[in-house]
């Protein structure tokens, strides 16, 4: 957790090393830094030491331990209870107020199951030792906003065969896992429903032409034909409005493992004046039967999938400058991504909606970090 604390104060290894050398002695002692027996002062590791050690660490193991830490209840962790010390209230976040207003406007349908989204990300500035870009596949808890698991994709592999290793050891029974069209393959669906006893919600595109054609046929017709299997929701914010209308149909003889329902989502986007300026049609399928997930449930699951882009990938790129980083030594790019996930997850568990806001709050006062990670 020591490096996670330092990551709050810097994006690069150089910035993190600089933060550590400026940190107060009691903070360095709590973080476990080496104490010089002659002077009694705690000395943080040098930048060179940080690079060398982190480059040799197994990134998948760092991911596993970070996810295990975030999976614990803060009350069960050793050390101090997490939170701000007395007398240091956190300024209110505008994003938290927006989220509260949005929740009041859009009531969640009853009977939602726990859900998580899996998606890949390229670290654009980083490179593998032998050449090629660093790619990571992660499983994101769409409710809690934390990364449940993450795995580096092999240089000669793709996201699809890495899904099974990513989910190894996780208890996913009864959960809903969402993925984009790249993962709409029979082996992945069989693995989710058979090995993990989980449900899936997947999108359909041209990589499954026969399945897509079957969905188009099953979902064609007038609004009257689908009156009892249609749901519409409208969202307003960020200077635009979006209307999403979903219709569903039984997945009959589609030849896809576990498929129970097909769906079509029609998205209209426009300005705050309500004038529509764009239209998009999306098809998909799910293993959820109609008695577990009506149109409003499927609409929610599909929409929540993009939390992995907006609340994980975007935050790491914009707030932590991940794509701008050019670390290329050993496991360093993967390890840095895992530690960023840990920091973001710790902020979310403290109720922070704006990660940049929270980062400034804890970075300006290093002592607050001791309570953030219950050190």
């Amino acid at each position: 957790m020591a490096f996670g604390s330092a990551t709050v104060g810097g994006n690069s290894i150089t910035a993190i090393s600089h933060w550590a050398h400026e940190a107060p002695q009691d903070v360095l002692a709590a973080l476990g830094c080496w104490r010089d027996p002659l002077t009694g002062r705690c000395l943080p590791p040098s930048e060179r030491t940080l690079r060398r050690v982190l480059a040799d660490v197994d990134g998948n193991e760092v991911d596993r331990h970070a996810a295990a830490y975030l999976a614990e209840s803060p009350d069960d962790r050793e050390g101090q209870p997490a939170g701000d010390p007395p007398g240091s209230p956190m300024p209110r976040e505008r994003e938290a107020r927006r989220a509260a207003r949005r929740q009041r406007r859009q009531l969640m349908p009853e009977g939602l199951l726990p859900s998580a989204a899996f998606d890949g990300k390229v670290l654009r500035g980083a490179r593998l030792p032998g050449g090629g870009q660093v790619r990571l596949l992660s499983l994101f808890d769409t409710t809690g906003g934390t990364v449940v698991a993450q795995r580096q994709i092999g240089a000669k592999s793709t996201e699809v065969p890495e899904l099974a290793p990513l989910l190894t050891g996780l208890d996913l029974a009864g959960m809903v896992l969402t993925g984009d069209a790249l993962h709409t393959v029979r082996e992945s669906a069989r693995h989710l429903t058979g090995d993990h006893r989980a449900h899936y919600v997947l999108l359909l595109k041209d990589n499954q032409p026969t399945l897509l054609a079957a969905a188009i046929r099953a979902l064609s017709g007038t609004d009257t034909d689908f009156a009892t299997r249609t749901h519409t929701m409208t969202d307003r914010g960020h200077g635009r409005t979006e209307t999403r209308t979903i219709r569903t149909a039984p997945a009959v003889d589609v030849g896809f493992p576990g498929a129970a329902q097909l769906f079509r989502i029609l998205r209209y986007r426009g300005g705050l004046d309500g004038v529509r300026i764009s239209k998009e049609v999306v098809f998909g399928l799910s293993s959820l039967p109609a008695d577990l997930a009506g149109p409003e449930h499927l609409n929610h699951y599909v929409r929540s999938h993009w939390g992995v882009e907006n609340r994980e990938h975007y935050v790491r790129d914009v707030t932590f400058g991940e794509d701008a980083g050019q670390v290329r030594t050993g496991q360093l790019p993967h390890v840095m991504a895992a530690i960023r996930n840990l920091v973001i997850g710790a902020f979310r568990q403290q109720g922070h909606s704006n990660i940049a806001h929270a980062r400034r709050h804890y970075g300006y006062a290093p002592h607050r970090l001791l309570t953030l990670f219950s050190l």
Side-chain angles (χ1 to χ4, degrees), residues 76-159:
D76 295 335
R77 296 172 187 159
E78 297 181 356
Q80 306 176 48
D84 281 345
S88 59
M90 172 104 174
R92 293 188 65 189
E93 300 177 17
R94 180 175 58 181
E95 282 72 11
R97 298 196 297 271
R98 286 176 174 171
R101 288 198 301 269
R102 188 179 301 113
Q103 189 172 11
R104 288 194 297 269
R105 289 198 306 264
Q106 298 177 354
L107 297 178
M108 297 298 177
E110 295 182 359
L112 286 173
L113 299 174
S115 65
F118 50 89
D119 194 30
K121 183 182 187 299
V122 176
L123 309 189
R124 302 189 183 279
R127 291 293 184 274
L128 294 169
Q133 291 182 307
V134 178
R135 297 170 298 157
L136 302 173
L137 178 65
S138 59
L139 181 67
F140 182 78
D141 178 359
T142 57
T143 302
T146 62
V147 174
V148 179
Q150 184 174 259
R151 180 178 180 84
Q152 184 165 323
I153 301 170
K156 298 182 179 181
S157 183
T158 63
E159 292 182 27

Side-chain angles (χ1 to χ4, degrees), residues 78-315:
E78 297 181 356
Q80 306 176 48
D84 281 345
S88 59
M90 172 104 174
R92 293 188 65 189
E93 300 177 17
R94 180 175 58 181
E95 282 72 11
R97 298 196 297 271
R98 286 176 174 171
R101 288 198 301 269
R102 188 179 301 113
Q103 189 172 11
R104 288 194 297 269
R105 289 198 306 264
Q106 298 177 354
L107 297 178
M108 297 298 177
E110 295 182 359
L112 286 173
L113 299 174
S115 65
F118 50 89
D119 194 30
K121 183 182 187 299
V122 176
L123 309 189
R124 302 189 183 279
R127 291 293 184 274
L128 294 169
Q133 291 182 307
V134 178
R135 297 170 298 157
L136 302 173
L137 178 65
S138 59
L139 181 67
F140 182 78
D141 178 359
T142 57
T143 302
T146 62
V147 174
V148 179
Q150 184 174 259
R151 180 178 180 84
Q152 184 165 323
I153 301 170
K156 298 182 179 181
S157 183
T158 63
E159 292 182 27
V160 175
E162 296 293 341
L163 180 61
L166 174 74
L167 304 181
T168 299
L170 298 179
D171 182 8
L172 305 174
M175 288 187 63
V176 178
L177 272 63
T178 61
D180 57 23
L182 176 65
H183 289 276
T184 308
V185 295
R186 286 167 173 77
E187 186 56 37
S188 294
R190 190 177 297 110
H191 178 65
L192 292 174
T193 57
D195 298 340
H196 287 284
R197 293 178 292 120
H199 299 287
Y200 62 76
V201 176
L202 301 171
L203 300 184
L204 285 172
K205 289 188 177 179
D206 293 337
N207 62 325
Q208 292 284 354
T210 303
L211 199 55
L212 177 59
I216 293 174
R217 288 194 302 270
L219 293 161
S220 296
T222 65
D223 292 342
T224 304
D225 297 334
F226 294 88
T228 60
R229 292 175 294 179
T230 299
H231 174 73
T232 299
M233 65 176 293
T234 300
D235 190 20
R236 179 185 178 92
H238 301 286
R240 70 178 188 182
T241 58
E242 180 182 72
T243 301
R244 302 161 56 91
T245 300
I246 184 173
R247 61 169 56 171
T248 65
V252 180
D253 297 329
V254 296
F256 197 82
Q261 293 190 82
L262 300 168
F263 61 85
R264 187 196 75 180
I265 298 177
L266 184 60
R267 298 180 182 140
Y268 287 106
R269 294 188 178 95
L272 296 179
D273 55 3
V275 178
R276 296 172 176 175
I277 59 175
S278 69
K279 172 184 176 181
E280 182 182 16
V281 181
V282 176
F283 289 89
L285 80 168
S286 173
S287 64
L288 286 160
D291 59 341
L292 279 182
E296 65 276 18
H297 297 87
L298 293 178
N299 211 352
H300 171 82
Y301 292 134
V302 174
R303 192 170 188 270
S304 66
H305 172 79
W306 302 113
V308 69
E309 293 284 352
N310 301 330
R311 302 175 68 196
E312 181 199 354
H313 298 172
Y314 179 84
V315 171

Side-chain angles (χ1 to χ4, degrees), residues 3 12-15 46-56 326-329 332:
F3 200 78
S12 65
I13 298 293
T14 302
S46 66
E47 177 184 347
R48 181 177 297 180
T49 299
L50 289 175
R51 289 184 183 276
R52 184 182 69 253
V53 171
L54 294 178
D56 291 337
Q326 297 183 1
V327 288
R328 303 183 178 185
T329 306
L332 195 50

Side-chain angles (χ1 to χ4, degrees), residues 314-351:
Y314 179 84
V315 171
R316 277 166 39 188
D317 285 339
V318 175
T319 305
F320 290 85
E322 184 167 87
D323 271 359
Q326 297 183 1
V327 288
R328 303 183 178 185
T329 306
Q331 291 283 303
L332 195 50
H334 184 181
V335 171
M336 290 290 290
I339 294 172
R340 291 179 186 122
N341 286 339
L342 172 65
V343 173
I344 294 169
F347 285 156
R348 293 248 165 81
Q349 288 186 341
Q350 294 302 311

Side-chain angles (χ1 to χ4, degrees), residues 351-365:
H352 301 303
S353 301
N354 187 324
I355 302 303
H357 188 104
R359 197 178 183 197
R360 290 190 295 269
H361 177 69
Y362 288 96
Y364 291 160

